[in-house]
Amino acid sequence: MTISAFKKYFKAELSGLYTESESMFLSSLFIHQIVGFDNFQQRRSANQELLTDDEEKLRHLVSELKSGKPYQQILGETEFYGMKFFVDENVLIPRPETEELLEIAIREIRSSGIKVQGLKILDIGTGSGVIPLVLKKYFPEAHVSSVDFSEKALSTAKKNAEHHQLDINFIHADYLNDELTENYDIIISNPPYIGIEEEVEIADSVKEFEPKMALFSPTADALIFYRKIAEDAKKHLKDGGLLFLEINQKLGSETLELYQYFSDAQLLKDLSENDRFIYGRK
């Protein structure tokens, strides 16, 4: 099978799951990983026969995609905020909305007048580590701590920290049942915020392959994490400190209400015009 023939095969096998443009993108991505050819080399060598071993590997990848498994998990990595991150079944695949959250955070921290030297940042819900690692990259003088309940997620996050040679204080703790002991200049979080009753609305490719504890609220109260963060911010976010949250778009006003004691608290929309973020200054 030639490279060109494989791309046609890929498109035909996955036509029910991906659009033509998505198929083109993914087939090129997998060929690059297995064969080592970039897009230019793939075009130049379109009629080149694939090695038998490479063809078998590529066919296996197609089978995994057909099962609904996210391509990022199959590759074992994804790009986020211009950085490469390792991902697996123990962490959520980072979404574009979380890139937006970080854009807001970086912009507001820079314009806030807060002293960056010695800045103390707490991230709640580490996952793959994208939030603390991006912040540490952009604010290398900051002290960044990040907490997660899942030891397996923390293992993946530590792997990403080692890859980027960034120093993060990773904390294994059950945040909802734990007490903070330090004060922070910044609190940021993308906690589990999908209500249990919303599970039927979530695609199988998400809920069957990504960790449910990172997706769904652990109780019937979809705001349980936001209530705990609001209480902790009263005691452990410094005066003038900043808060950044990614939230459930269906619960924007209810979530914002929890932070009305801040001197400034705003509900912000994402690029799709959904209520997606809370920005606050204490």
Side-chain angles (χ1 to χ4, degrees):
M1 179 182 285
T2 64
I3 288 175
S4 177
F6 171 74
K7 290 190 174 187
K8 291 177 182 176
Y9 164 79
F10 187 101
K11 177 184 172 183
E13 289 292 305
L14 295 162
S15 60
L17 288 173
Y18 298 105
T19 65
E20 184 173 348
S21 60
E22 288 171 334
S23 288
M24 289 175 61
F25 167 74
L26 289 174
S27 61
S28 294
L29 198 64
F30 283 114
I31 291 170
H32 182 253
Q33 185 182 61
I34 300 300
V35 182
F37 286 1
D38 61 24
N39 287 342
F40 172 73
Q41 290 171 307
Q42 290 177 37
R43 290 194 299 270
R44 188 177 63 182
S45 307
N47 295 319
Q48 179 175 315
E49 290 286 334
L50 290 165
L51 297 175
T52 301
D53 187 48
D54 286 347
E55 182 180 335
E56 289 177 357
K57 289 177 181 176
L58 287 166
R59 287 180 179 273
H60 176 68
L61 293 175
V62 170
S63 296
E64 287 199 283
L65 282 172
K66 288 172 74 173
S67 75
K69 189 173 184 179
Y71 75 88
Q72 298 95 331
Q73 282 187 9
I74 297 171
L75 290 169
E77 62 186 53
T78 191
E79 185 175 304
F80 179 88
Y81 222 88
M83 300 165 66
K84 185 180 87 170
F85 288 92
F86 301 110
V87 293
D88 53 33
E89 69 279 3
N90 301 305
V91 299
L92 283 187
I93 295 164
R95 267 64 170 183
E97 292 82 2
T98 307
E99 288 188 318
E100 292 182 58
L101 175 69
L102 282 161
E103 287 174 3
I104 294 167
I106 291 167
R107 180 184 70 234
E108 295 300 330
I109 292 170
R110 284 175 169 170
S111 65
S112 67
I114 291 178
K115 185 180 178 183
V116 176
Q117 181 73 39
L119 188 72
K120 291 188 69 173
I121 300 174
L122 175 65
D123 164 55
I124 299 164
T126 303
S128 59
V130 293
I131 289 176
L133 288 168
V134 169
L135 290 177
K136 183 65 175 178
K137 178 183 176 181
Y138 279 81
F139 302 102
E141 298 167 314
H143 301 293
V144 184
S145 296
S146 195
V147 61
D148 204 289
F149 181 64
S150 168
E151 289 187 88
K152 291 180 178 179
L154 284 170
S155 178
T156 302
K158 289 174 182 177
K159 182 180 177 182
N160 282 318
E162 290 170 5
H163 174 73
H164 290 289
Q165 298 183 314
L166 294 170
D167 183 24
I168 306 293
N169 175 33
F170 289 113
I171 302 165
H172 176 233
D174 178 3
Y175 172 72
L176 289 176
N177 296 296
D178 198 34
E179 295 296 326
L180 298 182
T181 58
E182 298 184 46
N183 295 330
Y184 298 92
D185 300 286
I186 311 289
I187 293 178
I188 186 168
S189 183
N190 176 22
Y193 59 66
I194 302 173
I196 293 172
E197 74 282 356
E198 295 180 75
E199 183 169 353
V200 293
E201 301 173 26
I202 306 302
D204 289 343
S205 60
V206 173
K207 63 188 178 187
E208 297 301 325
F209 292 95
E210 298 188 64
K212 289 189 176 182
M213 75 162 60
L215 288 166
F216 299 101
S217 170
T219 71
D221 180 9
L223 296 180
I224 187 169
F225 274 94
Y226 300 95
R227 297 187 202 281
K228 175 73 158 58
I229 292 169
E231 289 302 311
D232 281 344
K234 286 181 181 178
K235 295 181 277 186
H236 297 283
L237 183 63
K238 297 177 184 177
D239 288 341
L242 304 179
L243 175 78
F244 304 98
L245 302 173
E246 186 173 330
I247 69 168
N248 186 326
Q249 67 187 58
K250 298 180 179 179
L251 300 171
S253 59
E254 295 92 328
T255 311
L256 181 64
E257 183 65 30
L258 299 173
Y259 300 91
Q260 288 305 306
Y261 69 88
F262 274 54
S263 63
D264 182 22
Q266 301 174 32
L267 178 61
L268 305 177
K269 295 185 182 295
D270 61 23
L271 292 177
S272 300
E273 290 298 310
N274 296 312
D275 292 336
R276 184 64 67 192
F277 313 108
I278 298 288
Y279 158 70
R281 182 154 195 165
K282 190 175 175 186

